[in-house]
mmCIF file of all heavy atoms in Angstrom:
data_model
loop_
_atom_site.group_PDB
_atom_site.id
_atom_site.type_symbol
_atom_site.label_atom_id
_atom_site.label_comp_id
_atom_site.label_asym_id
_atom_site.label_seq_id
_atom_site.Cartn_x
_atom_site.Cartn_y
_atom_site.Cartn_z
ATOM 1 N N GLN A 39 16.786 -18.289 -52.508
ATOM 2 C CA GLN A 39 16.596 -19.725 -52.369
ATOM 3 C C GLN A 39 15.215 -20.083 -52.876
ATOM 4 O O GLN A 39 14.209 -19.714 -52.263
ATOM 5 C CB GLN A 39 16.763 -20.173 -50.921
ATOM 6 C CG GLN A 39 16.695 -21.683 -50.743
ATOM 7 C CD GLN A 39 17.124 -22.127 -49.361
ATOM 8 O OE1 GLN A 39 16.938 -21.416 -48.384
ATOM 9 N NE2 GLN A 39 17.726 -23.321 -49.278
ATOM 10 N N LEU A 45 20.921 -22.389 -51.928
ATOM 11 C CA LEU A 45 21.088 -20.941 -51.964
ATOM 12 C C LEU A 45 21.881 -20.522 -53.198
ATOM 13 O O LEU A 45 22.794 -21.227 -53.633
ATOM 14 C CB LEU A 45 21.810 -20.485 -50.705
ATOM 15 C CG LEU A 45 20.976 -20.647 -49.426
ATOM 16 C CD1 LEU A 45 21.880 -20.872 -48.220
ATOM 17 C CD2 LEU A 45 20.092 -19.432 -49.212
ATOM 18 N N TRP A 47 23.829 -17.109 -54.968
ATOM 19 C CA TRP A 47 24.320 -15.741 -54.824
ATOM 20 C C TRP A 47 23.941 -14.922 -56.049
ATOM 21 O O TRP A 47 24.121 -15.358 -57.180
ATOM 22 C CB TRP A 47 25.840 -15.774 -54.647
ATOM 23 C CG TRP A 47 26.489 -14.437 -54.584
ATOM 24 C CD1 TRP A 47 26.485 -13.567 -53.529
ATOM 25 C CD2 TRP A 47 27.247 -13.804 -55.618
ATOM 26 N NE1 TRP A 47 27.192 -12.435 -53.857
ATOM 27 C CE2 TRP A 47 27.669 -12.553 -55.131
ATOM 28 C CE3 TRP A 47 27.597 -14.168 -56.913
ATOM 29 C CZ2 TRP A 47 28.439 -11.670 -55.883
ATOM 30 C CZ3 TRP A 47 28.365 -13.293 -57.670
ATOM 31 C CH2 TRP A 47 28.774 -12.053 -57.142
ATOM 32 N N TRP A 50 26.572 -8.213 -55.342
ATOM 33 C CA TRP A 50 26.812 -7.311 -54.207
ATOM 34 C C TRP A 50 26.744 -5.864 -54.642
ATOM 35 O O TRP A 50 26.865 -5.540 -55.825
ATOM 36 C CB TRP A 50 28.153 -7.591 -53.535
ATOM 37 C CG TRP A 50 29.419 -7.533 -54.377
ATOM 38 C CD1 TRP A 50 30.149 -8.601 -54.822
ATOM 39 C CD2 TRP A 50 30.121 -6.363 -54.867
ATOM 40 N NE1 TRP A 50 31.239 -8.186 -55.534
ATOM 41 C CE2 TRP A 50 31.257 -6.809 -55.584
ATOM 42 C CE3 TRP A 50 29.894 -4.991 -54.756
ATOM 43 C CZ2 TRP A 50 32.170 -5.933 -56.185
ATOM 44 C CZ3 TRP A 50 30.802 -4.111 -55.366
ATOM 45 C CH2 TRP A 50 31.919 -4.592 -56.073
ATOM 46 N N TYR A 95 17.225 -12.961 -49.786
ATOM 47 C CA TYR A 95 17.901 -12.519 -48.565
ATOM 48 C C TYR A 95 18.936 -11.451 -48.880
ATOM 49 O O TYR A 95 19.624 -11.532 -49.905
ATOM 50 C CB TYR A 95 18.658 -13.673 -47.910
ATOM 51 C CG TYR A 95 17.831 -14.831 -47.442
ATOM 52 C CD1 TYR A 95 17.649 -15.953 -48.248
ATOM 53 C CD2 TYR A 95 17.237 -14.824 -46.179
ATOM 54 C CE1 TYR A 95 16.896 -17.029 -47.819
ATOM 55 C CE2 TYR A 95 16.483 -15.901 -45.732
ATOM 56 C CZ TYR A 95 16.316 -16.998 -46.567
ATOM 57 O OH TYR A 95 15.571 -18.074 -46.122
ATOM 58 N N LEU A 109 35.351 -10.126 -51.291
ATOM 59 C CA LEU A 109 35.234 -11.507 -50.841
ATOM 60 C C LEU A 109 35.228 -11.565 -49.321
ATOM 61 O O LEU A 109 36.053 -10.939 -48.658
ATOM 62 C CB LEU A 109 36.391 -12.343 -51.385
ATOM 63 C CG LEU A 109 36.375 -12.596 -52.885
ATOM 64 C CD1 LEU A 109 37.705 -13.161 -53.346
ATOM 65 C CD2 LEU A 109 35.229 -13.526 -53.266
ATOM 66 N N GLY A 110 34.318 -12.338 -48.784
ATOM 67 C CA GLY A 110 34.245 -12.482 -47.331
ATOM 68 C C GLY A 110 32.969 -13.196 -46.944
ATOM 69 O O GLY A 110 32.086 -13.421 -47.774
ATOM 70 N N TRP A 111 32.900 -13.532 -45.666
ATOM 71 C CA TRP A 111 31.713 -14.240 -45.194
ATOM 72 C C TRP A 111 30.540 -13.278 -45.029
ATOM 73 O O TRP A 111 30.699 -12.064 -45.115
ATOM 74 C CB TRP A 111 32.019 -14.932 -43.863
ATOM 75 C CG TRP A 111 32.564 -14.018 -42.810
ATOM 76 C CD1 TRP A 111 31.879 -13.102 -42.040
ATOM 77 C CD2 TRP A 111 33.933 -13.922 -42.401
ATOM 78 N NE1 TRP A 111 32.739 -12.443 -41.196
ATOM 79 C CE2 TRP A 111 33.996 -12.936 -41.387
ATOM 80 C CE3 TRP A 111 35.105 -14.570 -42.778
ATOM 81 C CZ2 TRP A 111 35.188 -12.598 -40.761
ATOM 82 C CZ3 TRP A 111 36.291 -14.218 -42.151
ATOM 83 C CH2 TRP A 111 36.322 -13.251 -41.163
ATOM 84 N N PHE A 112 29.357 -13.838 -44.778
ATOM 85 C CA PHE A 112 28.153 -13.047 -44.566
ATOM 86 C C PHE A 112 27.764 -13.083 -43.089
ATOM 87 O O PHE A 112 27.664 -14.137 -42.489
ATOM 88 C CB PHE A 112 26.970 -13.635 -45.363
ATOM 89 C CG PHE A 112 27.152 -13.638 -46.848
ATOM 90 C CD1 PHE A 112 26.323 -14.418 -47.639
ATOM 91 C CD2 PHE A 112 28.110 -12.871 -47.472
ATOM 92 C CE1 PHE A 112 26.457 -14.422 -49.029
ATOM 93 C CE2 PHE A 112 28.260 -12.869 -48.852
ATOM 94 C CZ PHE A 112 27.421 -13.665 -49.628
ATOM 95 N N TRP A 115 22.468 -11.917 -41.660
ATOM 96 C CA TRP A 115 21.535 -12.054 -42.779
ATOM 97 C C TRP A 115 20.219 -11.372 -42.415
ATOM 98 O O TRP A 115 19.874 -11.258 -41.239
ATOM 99 C CB TRP A 115 21.223 -13.521 -43.054
ATOM 100 C CG TRP A 115 22.364 -14.349 -43.547
ATOM 101 C CD1 TRP A 115 23.559 -14.582 -42.920
ATOM 102 C CD2 TRP A 115 22.414 -15.103 -44.760
ATOM 103 N NE1 TRP A 115 24.339 -15.417 -43.670
ATOM 104 C CE2 TRP A 115 23.655 -15.756 -44.799
ATOM 105 C CE3 TRP A 115 21.516 -15.297 -45.819
ATOM 106 C CZ2 TRP A 115 24.043 -16.590 -45.865
ATOM 107 C CZ3 TRP A 115 21.892 -16.112 -46.876
ATOM 108 C CH2 TRP A 115 23.149 -16.753 -46.891
ATOM 109 N N GLY A 116 19.493 -10.954 -43.425
ATOM 110 C CA GLY A 116 18.125 -10.530 -43.211
ATOM 111 C C GLY A 116 17.227 -11.748 -43.002
ATOM 112 O O GLY A 116 17.668 -12.892 -43.180
ATOM 113 N N TYR B 36 26.742 -22.096 -41.555
ATOM 114 C CA TYR B 36 25.596 -21.374 -41.030
ATOM 115 C C TYR B 36 24.524 -22.341 -40.571
ATOM 116 O O TYR B 36 24.410 -23.456 -41.090
ATOM 117 C CB TYR B 36 25.003 -20.449 -42.102
ATOM 118 C CG TYR B 36 25.938 -19.348 -42.525
ATOM 119 C CD1 TYR B 36 26.910 -19.571 -43.500
ATOM 120 C CD2 TYR B 36 25.880 -18.093 -41.935
ATOM 121 C CE1 TYR B 36 27.796 -18.567 -43.871
ATOM 122 C CE2 TYR B 36 26.758 -17.077 -42.305
ATOM 123 C CZ TYR B 36 27.703 -17.331 -43.263
ATOM 124 O OH TYR B 36 28.581 -16.332 -43.633
ATOM 125 N N GLN B 38 20.280 -22.342 -39.940
ATOM 126 C CA GLN B 38 19.059 -21.587 -40.202
ATOM 127 C C GLN B 38 17.843 -22.363 -39.746
ATOM 128 O O GLN B 38 17.705 -23.553 -40.059
ATOM 129 C CB GLN B 38 18.932 -21.256 -41.694
ATOM 130 C CG GLN B 38 17.776 -20.323 -42.004
ATOM 131 C CD GLN B 38 17.762 -19.875 -43.445
ATOM 132 O OE1 GLN B 38 18.162 -20.618 -44.338
ATOM 133 N NE2 GLN B 38 17.292 -18.678 -43.687
ATOM 134 N N ALA B 43 16.475 -15.563 -39.649
ATOM 135 C CA ALA B 43 17.711 -15.264 -40.349
ATOM 136 C C ALA B 43 18.755 -16.335 -40.047
ATOM 137 O O ALA B 43 18.792 -16.897 -38.955
ATOM 138 C CB ALA B 43 18.229 -13.897 -39.911
ATOM 139 N N PHE B 46 25.537 -17.268 -38.221
ATOM 140 C CA PHE B 46 26.923 -17.577 -38.555
ATOM 141 C C PHE B 46 27.536 -18.377 -37.420
ATOM 142 O O PHE B 46 27.557 -17.915 -36.274
ATOM 143 C CB PHE B 46 27.650 -16.247 -38.743
ATOM 144 C CG PHE B 46 29.005 -16.319 -39.378
ATOM 145 C CD1 PHE B 46 29.402 -17.403 -40.145
ATOM 146 C CD2 PHE B 46 29.878 -15.253 -39.253
ATOM 147 C CE1 PHE B 46 30.641 -17.426 -40.761
ATOM 148 C CE2 PHE B 46 31.124 -15.261 -39.863
ATOM 149 C CZ PHE B 46 31.503 -16.355 -40.614
ATOM 150 N N GLN B 49 33.606 -19.584 -38.975
ATOM 151 C CA GLN B 49 34.231 -18.773 -40.014
ATOM 152 C C GLN B 49 35.611 -19.323 -40.354
ATOM 153 O O GLN B 49 36.301 -19.880 -39.502
ATOM 154 C CB GLN B 49 34.334 -17.314 -39.594
ATOM 155 C CG GLN B 49 35.277 -17.055 -38.438
ATOM 156 C CD GLN B 49 35.240 -15.619 -37.971
ATOM 157 O OE1 GLN B 49 34.202 -15.125 -37.539
ATOM 158 N NE2 GLN B 49 36.358 -14.933 -38.071
ATOM 159 N N TYR B 85 18.475 -26.271 -40.403
ATOM 160 C CA TYR B 85 19.084 -26.443 -41.730
ATOM 161 C C TYR B 85 20.490 -25.858 -41.639
ATOM 162 O O TYR B 85 20.667 -24.725 -41.171
ATOM 163 C CB TYR B 85 18.206 -25.713 -42.741
ATOM 164 C CG TYR B 85 18.694 -25.661 -44.160
ATOM 165 C CD1 TYR B 85 18.542 -26.748 -45.006
ATOM 166 C CD2 TYR B 85 19.256 -24.496 -44.689
ATOM 167 C CE1 TYR B 85 18.940 -26.687 -46.342
ATOM 168 C CE2 TYR B 85 19.653 -24.430 -46.007
ATOM 169 C CZ TYR B 85 19.498 -25.520 -46.829
ATOM 170 O OH TYR B 85 19.884 -25.455 -48.139
ATOM 171 N N PHE B 87 24.182 -25.029 -43.731
ATOM 172 C CA PHE B 87 24.765 -24.917 -45.061
ATOM 173 C C PHE B 87 26.147 -24.291 -44.995
ATOM 174 O O PHE B 87 26.489 -23.589 -44.041
ATOM 175 C CB PHE B 87 23.850 -24.133 -46.012
ATOM 176 C CG PHE B 87 23.573 -22.707 -45.608
ATOM 177 C CD1 PHE B 87 24.403 -21.682 -46.020
ATOM 178 C CD2 PHE B 87 22.455 -22.411 -44.845
ATOM 179 C CE1 PHE B 87 24.140 -20.366 -45.663
ATOM 180 C CE2 PHE B 87 22.183 -21.096 -44.478
ATOM 181 C CZ PHE B 87 23.031 -20.077 -44.888
ATOM 182 N N HIS B 91 34.005 -18.349 -49.717
ATOM 183 C CA HIS B 91 34.257 -16.964 -50.122
ATOM 184 C C HIS B 91 35.655 -16.812 -50.713
ATOM 185 O O HIS B 91 36.264 -15.752 -50.648
ATOM 186 C CB HIS B 91 34.025 -15.998 -48.949
ATOM 187 C CG HIS B 91 35.058 -16.066 -47.859
ATOM 188 N ND1 HIS B 91 34.860 -16.739 -46.682
ATOM 189 C CD2 HIS B 91 36.298 -15.537 -47.763
ATOM 190 C CE1 HIS B 91 35.923 -16.605 -45.920
ATOM 191 N NE2 HIS B 91 36.820 -15.882 -46.546
ATOM 192 N N ASP B 92 36.152 -17.887 -51.326
ATOM 193 C CA ASP B 92 37.470 -17.824 -51.959
ATOM 194 C C ASP B 92 37.442 -17.098 -53.291
ATOM 195 O O ASP B 92 38.418 -16.446 -53.693
ATOM 196 C CB ASP B 92 37.998 -19.244 -52.164
ATOM 197 C CG ASP B 92 39.368 -19.278 -52.819
ATOM 198 O OD1 ASP B 92 40.367 -18.997 -52.130
ATOM 199 O OD2 ASP B 92 39.428 -19.557 -54.037
ATOM 200 N N PHE B 94 34.671 -15.542 -56.741
ATOM 201 C CA PHE B 94 33.341 -15.276 -57.282
ATOM 202 C C PHE B 94 33.079 -16.195 -58.477
ATOM 203 O O PHE B 94 33.994 -16.500 -59.235
ATOM 204 C CB PHE B 94 33.235 -13.810 -57.733
ATOM 205 C CG PHE B 94 33.085 -12.843 -56.581
ATOM 206 C CD1 PHE B 94 34.109 -11.952 -56.269
ATOM 207 C CD2 PHE B 94 31.929 -12.815 -55.811
ATOM 208 C CE1 PHE B 94 33.983 -11.059 -55.218
ATOM 209 C CE2 PHE B 94 31.794 -11.925 -54.762
ATOM 210 C CZ PHE B 94 32.826 -11.043 -54.457
ATOM 211 N N LEU B 96 30.336 -16.416 -55.400
ATOM 212 C CA LEU B 96 30.225 -17.106 -54.121
ATOM 213 C C LEU B 96 29.233 -18.252 -54.284
ATOM 214 O O LEU B 96 28.211 -18.113 -54.981
ATOM 215 C CB LEU B 96 29.741 -16.136 -53.052
ATOM 216 C CG LEU B 96 30.617 -14.889 -52.851
ATOM 217 C CD1 LEU B 96 29.991 -13.966 -51.823
ATOM 218 C CD2 LEU B 96 32.031 -15.279 -52.445
ATOM 219 N N PHE B 98 27.323 -21.952 -52.470
ATOM 220 C CA PHE B 98 26.828 -22.590 -51.263
ATOM 221 C C PHE B 98 26.707 -24.101 -51.468
ATOM 222 O O PHE B 98 26.505 -24.579 -52.586
ATOM 223 C CB PHE B 98 25.428 -22.071 -50.928
ATOM 224 C CG PHE B 98 25.361 -20.596 -50.652
ATOM 225 C CD1 PHE B 98 25.193 -19.694 -51.690
ATOM 226 C CD2 PHE B 98 25.443 -20.113 -49.362
ATOM 227 C CE1 PHE B 98 25.119 -18.328 -51.442
ATOM 228 C CE2 PHE B 98 25.361 -18.758 -49.091
ATOM 229 C CZ PHE B 98 25.202 -17.864 -50.140
#
Side-chain angles (χ1 to χ4, degrees):
Chain A
Q39 185 169 31
L45 292 151
W47 176 76
W50 57 255
Y95 298 95
L109 291 168
W111 54 77
F112 298 164
W115 294 59
Chain B
Y36 295 84
Q38 187 173 33
F46 193 21
Q49 67 186 61
Y85 175 79
F87 61 89
H91 71 259
D92 180 76
F94 284 112
L96 303 177
F98 298 87

